[in-house]
Amino acid sequence: MAVLTLTRFINVRNVTNFNNFGVVGNALNIIQHSNVISKSYSTDINHEIISSTSTNEPEKRMSKAMKLYFQRFVDYNKSMNEEIAKYNIGKRHLANIMGKDVNNFTERDINDAINYLFPSGLYNIGARPMMQNPEKTIIKRKEAEFDESGRPLHFLYYTTKPNYYEILHNIMASLNDLNKMEDEKRKLNLSFSTAEKLTLSDSIWISKNKLESLTHEDLSQTEYIYFIKSISKLLVHPLSKYAESFIMKYRTMLPNIDETANIPKPDYDSEKRPFVLVERCARKNARGQVKVIGNGSGNIVINGQDITYFKDMQCREQIIFPLIFTNMYDKVDIEATISGGGSTGQAGAIRWGISYGLRSFVDINMIEKMKLAGLLTNDWRRRERKKWGQEGARRKFTWKKR
């Protein structure tokens, strides 16, 4: 009987959570373990444990799109930091080689050091050795904006090129506005004045690289051509003046050329045809002179022969290119006298002479375009001499151990 009573007392004590100290001991037990903070845990789709400090707030899960975006952003910043570190190391080495202070070593000093240490006669400047800050050479990636749920804020995000298609969307919206204005004027029988149409002869459309830098997106040549065709519809509209601010965002102004530049005035021959004689046309070892005659029909005479003087098709294309570029292939005649060098040197000398003489027969804007195309730049490259102890200029003798 005594054993049964003791057993019941122990069970009652366990249920009421009384220990040997009674209520006071229970309170001490709570105080003793009050430094333990309870945390609720949940497992996401990847079975990762995520802790939250509050049990009342709902847990925020990051979508896969947001994870990919943040991972791409982290990788991009990491690669940019690595490239900038390499650039700073190369800049420090160049400054030490040139004996200058690293802190005052500017980009111009870098270019001068590279031209001195790595001289190059390549015609294309972009093909020459160079070292620039990665922040200027590497295209910056656009930072997509998402809401808390991971949904993109841009309505064209899922086109993969939202900035590009937004420009096309704005072009179409501007074109619709101009069409509405045109319809209203036609209903009122109002005439269209020339002041309402843009005439932009001193600017050109931005290049593909410039458009990519504006959108921070890689564009194909087809997409760039489609952009030019789309925005050209605004320019040819009879009311394009009202969209001038939008059109000029994608135009590049041509640099002003002094009209009093050293452009020779044409003389006149016995047949009263204007002509310009360009002497000292040089390329490699070739020397000659070129006569550009206006009011012609496109005849080309080289050392008393026609263009078949050159057997190579590439040399013929070199000579015809300035005429096609300026749309003067059927308006002038060419008479050239050339000697020395090979076919490539002679074709280059005649090409420069034709381009230099055509300045007297075209307008200033065309001269600037020729300048940008490299037609008016002398090509002073020469054959590099053979080096002593080598088989050629750069080629080395084959090394044999035995």
Side-chain angles (χ1 to χ4, degrees):
M1 186 66 181
V3 176
L4 181 60
T5 305
L6 179 61
T7 304
R8 289 178 180 177
F9 175 74
I10 294 174
N11 293 336
V12 171
R13 187 184 65 176
N14 292 336
V15 171
T16 56
N17 198 20
F18 285 150
N19 53 16
N20 295 331
F21 295 96
V23 177
V24 177
N26 192 21
L28 292 174
N29 189 27
I30 295 174
I31 296 173
Q32 182 181 359
H33 298 285
S34 61
N35 59 345
V36 179
I37 301 175
S38 62
K39 296 182 180 180
S40 61
Y41 295 89
S42 63
T43 307
D44 62 353
I45 55 175
N46 295 327
H47 303 287
E48 297 177 355
I49 304 300
I50 302 175
S51 63
S52 59
T53 58
S54 176
T55 58
N56 296 328
E57 297 181 359
E59 298 178 3
K60 296 181 180 179
R61 295 184 179 181
M62 186 179 297
S63 63
K64 291 184 178 180
M66 286 293 291
K67 288 182 180 179
L68 292 175
Y69 163 70
F70 283 116
Q71 185 62 36
R72 185 183 66 178
F73 185 72
V74 170
D75 295 341
Y76 173 76
N77 287 339
K78 182 179 178 181
S79 62
M80 281 295 297
N81 294 333
E82 291 177 355
E83 293 296 331
I84 292 174
K86 294 178 182 178
Y87 169 78
N88 292 330
I89 293 173
K91 178 180 176 181
R92 185 169 65 252
H93 286 327
L94 282 178
N96 294 333
I97 292 173
M98 301 302 293
K100 294 186 178 181
D101 185 14
V102 180
N103 298 325
N104 299 326
F105 204 62
T106 62
E107 292 185 0
R108 185 173 181 179
D109 296 332
I110 293 175
N111 295 332
D112 295 340
I114 291 176
N115 292 333
Y116 176 77
L117 297 173
F118 307 99
S120 176
L122 294 176
Y123 178 71
N124 189 356
I125 298 177
R128 298 176 183 176
M130 59 178 293
M131 188 179 72
Q132 291 184 357
N133 195 324
E135 295 180 352
K136 295 183 178 180
T137 56
I138 299 177
I139 299 177
K140 294 183 179 180
R141 290 189 177 182
K142 60 181 184 299
E143 297 183 4
E145 297 181 355
F146 300 90
D147 58 10
E148 294 180 355
S149 62
R151 295 181 179 179
L153 299 180
H154 203 290
F155 70 103
L156 294 173
Y157 173 76
Y158 290 105
T159 60
T160 67
K161 297 179 181 179
N163 295 332
Y164 169 74
Y165 285 104
E166 185 180 6
I167 294 175
L168 297 181
H169 177 78
N170 295 334
I171 292 174
M172 196 61 193
S174 301
L175 188 60
N176 290 336
D177 294 340
L178 295 181
N179 290 334
K180 290 179 181 179
M181 296 175 60
E182 182 182 4
D183 294 339
E184 292 177 357
K185 296 194 70 172
R186 292 186 184 279
K187 289 178 181 178
L188 299 175
N189 294 326
L190 298 177
S191 60
F192 299 92
S193 62
T194 56
E196 294 178 323
K197 185 175 181 179
L198 284 176
T199 54
L200 302 176
S201 59
D202 56 347
S203 62
I204 57 176
W205 296 115
I206 59 175
S207 62
K208 178 174 173 290
N209 295 333
K210 182 65 175 178
L211 183 61
E212 289 178 342
S213 63
L214 290 177
T215 58
H216 300 295
E217 297 166 351
D218 296 332
L219 304 177
S220 62
Q221 187 66 23
T222 304
E223 291 171 338
Y224 175 72
I225 294 174
Y226 185 78
F227 160 77
I228 296 297
K229 290 181 179 179
S230 301
I231 200 169
S232 297
K233 295 180 181 179
L234 284 177
L235 188 60
V236 300
H237 199 278
L239 300 177
S240 58
K241 186 69 176 178
Y242 298 100
E244 181 179 5
S245 59
F246 178 76
I247 293 174
M248 293 307 297
K249 293 180 181 178
Y250 308 101
R251 301 279 295 185
T252 301
M253 301 299 296
L254 294 173
N256 295 327
I257 301 177
D258 188 6
E259 296 185 1
T260 61
N262 189 17
I263 299 177
K265 294 182 179 180
D267 297 328
Y268 292 87
D269 56 8
S270 59
E271 299 179 1
K272 297 182 179 181
R273 293 196 306 170
F275 72 91
V276 174
L277 182 62
V278 182
E279 299 180 348
R280 291 180 294 183
C281 301
R283 173 74 177 95
K284 293 184 179 180
N285 293 328
R287 301 291 183 272
Q289 63 181 12
V290 176
K291 185 177 182 181
V292 182
I293 307 173
N295 298 332
S297 58
N299 294 328
I300 298 177
V301 179
I302 304 173
N303 290 345
Q305 304 180 28
D306 56 5
I307 198 171
T308 57
Y309 171 82
F310 292 103
K311 307 302 180 182
D312 190 3
M313 187 62 64
Q314 184 178 3
C315 296
R316 300 180 186 179
E317 292 176 353
Q318 288 287 320
I319 295 174
I320 298 175
F321 177 72
L323 301 173
I324 297 177
F325 185 84
T326 57
N327 198 19
M328 299 288 290
Y329 56 89
D330 57 348
K331 299 181 179 65
V332 296
D333 293 338
I334 305 298
E335 295 180 1
T337 304
I338 196 72
S339 62
S343 59
T344 303
Q346 291 184 358
I350 296 175
R351 176 178 180 264
W352 180 83
I354 294 174
S355 303
Y356 210 71
L358 286 175
R359 297 183 305 160
S360 304
F361 299 94
V362 296
D363 57 2
I364 297 178
N365 294 328
M366 181 56 69
I367 294 176
E368 180 60 27
K369 292 179 180 179
M370 294 172 63
K371 197 173 183 181
L372 295 175
L375 292 174
L376 302 179
T377 304
N378 265 318
D379 190 358
W380 299 109
R381 291 179 299 172
R382 300 294 297 271
R383 180 182 176 87
E384 188 175 353
R385 74 172 186 86
K386 179 186 176 301
K387 308 299 189 304
W388 183 86
Q390 298 179 185
E391 189 174 353
R394 303 291 179 91
R395 185 179 177 84
K396 308 296 190 300
F397 291 113
T398 303
W399 180 82
K400 294 182 180 179
K401 185 175 182 180
R402 291 181 181 86

